[in-house]
Amino acid sequence: MDLTLVDSSPAMCDRLAGVAGASVHRCDAGALPFADGSFDMVIANHMLYHVDDPAAVLREFARVSRPGGRLAVATNGGGHMREITELGTRIGRPDIMLGRSVSDFTAESGPGLVAAAFQDVRVEEFPGIWRCRTPGRSWPTWAAWPCPR
């Protein structure tokens, strides 16, 4: 198995360099430096709400996916972190969650955007139940779309 890891952040790429056997590339998800049909699978893990144009990035993922390749996307639902946003308002900091997302890509809006670039879109929802097993750590809501092309 070949593993290619991509991020736009130099710090994240430095951390990814420690993944044994992986090829790490610092680049823009909307302009991937790979040939058409290069990958059997593309994974977008909690990143599409950080890009300016998720639809363009999804088209780029389709371009680098081989025919019959798959896409898996994980993202948050629209109500993610609602309690923290409400708390910010109550303590006089309504801006506490501003800037957390660049786009409005959510579990609710995502399937339609994915379907514009990939066929056979399926959604698997994982309820947003927060379990804090270690103080200071929590796990967000996940949605995934395995999408054969």
Side-chain angles (χ1 to χ4, degrees), residues 80-141:
H80 176 69
M81 308 277 280
R82 178 178 42 246
E83 292 87 357
I84 292 176
T85 301
E86 290 169 359
L87 176 63
T89 300
R90 286 198 306 265
I91 65 170
R93 290 283 317 278
D95 62 329
I96 202 163
M97 294 303 291
L98 291 179
R100 301 284 298 178
S101 297
V102 174
S103 72
D104 63 353
F105 188 94
T106 64
E108 295 80 18
S109 66
L113 290 169
V114 172
F118 287 85
Q119 298 173 1
D120 190 26
V121 175
R122 290 175 278 158
V123 175
E124 187 174 342
E125 295 183 22
F126 297 87
I129 299 169
W130 288 62
R131 293 186 181 100
C132 189
R133 297 181 180 126
T134 305
R137 289 195 168 181
S138 56
W139 288 263
T141 303

